[in-house]
Amino acid sequence: MRTFSALSLMLLAAPLQAHPHIFINTGLLFLVDAQNRLTHVQVTWEYDELYSLLVTEDMGVDSDYDGQSTPEDVAKLTGFDAQWIEGYNGDLVATMGGVPLGLSGPTVPTAQLMDGKITTTHMRAVEGAPEISGPLSFKPYDGTYYTAYDVTLPVEVQGRSGCDVALNVPDLNGALAMTKAELAALPEDMDMDAAGLGDIGARFATEVKVTCSAL
C-alpha cells in the first residue's frame, strides 16, 4: 500500500510490466444508516503469503514462525498499511449512479496474522453520506497493476435489506494479452503515464456492483 514504510518503496517504483507482484484477497462491507445513506465502507485486505512474510520479517513480527499473531504482533501490525501518502486513492474507485463518490482516508485499522497471511481492515467514510439513489459500483484495483486485487472475501450491506450484490469479473487472460502486446511495443525507458497506461490496472479490476430496491 502507499505507506511511508520501506516496504512501500516497492510499490512506488513500479516499472513497465504486465504482471502483479503482490496479491490481495479483498472484501467490502457497506454501512447504510436509518436514512438510507451510505456512510462508510469497510475494506478487508488479505495479503498473499510471500508478501506477508516480507512484512513480518521487516517489522519483527511472528518471531516463532508459527504463522499466527500474538497480541504484541497485532499491536505492531495494526495500521502498517494505513499510512497513505497524499493523493493515494486506497486502490478503490467508487461511483453511485455513475457519479464518482469521494472516500476518506483509512480509519479504525485492524490487523492479524493467521496461517501465514496478514489480514487487515480499515474504514473509509463516504463524503457527504449520500442517500442511495442508484447502483453502487466499487472497483478495488491498483492503477499500475503492481498489486492484484481479487474479490474473494465477503461483500455485504449492513443497515438495510433489499440490496443485491454482483461481481463483474474481467477477462483476465484477454486483458493480459492485450497489455503485454502494448508494453512490448514501447521503449524500455518510457514510464506508464507517458505511455497513456497510468491506469492500466482498471483492465484487471473486478467491479462490485450493489443495487438496492426502492424503500
Side-chain angles (χ1 to χ4, degrees):
M1 301 303 91
R2 301 305 197 270
T3 74
F4 292 105
S5 72
L7 286 169
S8 69
L9 296 179
M10 298 166 56
L11 303 179
L12 295 175
L16 284 175
Q17 59 192 337
H19 60 88
H21 292 69
I22 300 171
F23 300 85
I24 297 179
N25 293 324
T26 307
L28 299 171
L29 175 64
F30 300 99
L31 305 182
V32 182
D33 68 10
Q35 286 73 47
N36 193 37
R37 298 178 300 185
L38 179 65
T39 62
H40 297 80
V41 57
Q42 184 185 57
V43 181
T44 300
W45 288 335
E46 181 189 71
Y47 294 90
D48 66 81
E49 291 180 345
L50 177 57
Y51 188 71
S52 295
L53 178 61
L54 293 174
V55 172
T56 56
E57 289 188 343
D58 185 68
M59 299 185 69
V61 170
D62 191 30
S63 58
D64 59 3
Y65 298 102
D66 68 349
Q68 313 297 319
S69 52
T70 65
E72 292 77 13
D73 291 337
V74 169
K76 289 182 180 180
L77 287 172
T78 298
F80 88 91
D81 58 358
Q83 306 298 315
W84 298 354
I85 64 172
E86 185 176 355
Y88 175 51
N89 71 351
D91 287 349
L92 187 62
V93 175
T95 64
M96 182 169 65
V99 178
L101 292 175
L103 301 173
S104 74
T107 62
V108 200
T110 73
Q112 66 172 340
L113 176 68
M114 183 176 296
D115 297 330
K117 294 182 179 181
I118 296 173
T119 300
T120 71
T121 69
H122 57 269
M123 194 76 71
R124 303 187 67 181
V126 181
E127 293 181 3
E131 182 178 356
I132 297 177
S133 58
L136 300 171
S137 171
F138 280 71
K139 293 182 179 180
Y141 73 93
D142 170 16
T144 69
Y145 201 45
Y146 195 96
T147 303
Y149 291 86
D150 195 4
V151 185
T152 58
L153 303 180
V155 177
E156 300 174 338
V157 179
Q158 179 177 301
R160 67 155 294 178
S161 58
C163 296
D164 294 323
V165 175
L167 302 183
N168 295 328
V169 181
D171 175 7
L172 295 179
N173 290 332
L176 186 59
M178 178 175 64
T179 301
K180 285 183 175 180
E182 290 178 344
L183 295 181
L186 296 175
E188 291 185 0
D189 59 350
M190 180 175 289
D191 64 37
M192 298 180 77
D193 287 334
L197 299 173
D199 198 38
I200 200 170
R203 300 176 178 180
F204 303 90
T206 293
E207 179 187 28
V208 178
K209 193 166 186 178
V210 180
T211 305
C212 298
S213 60
L215 293 177

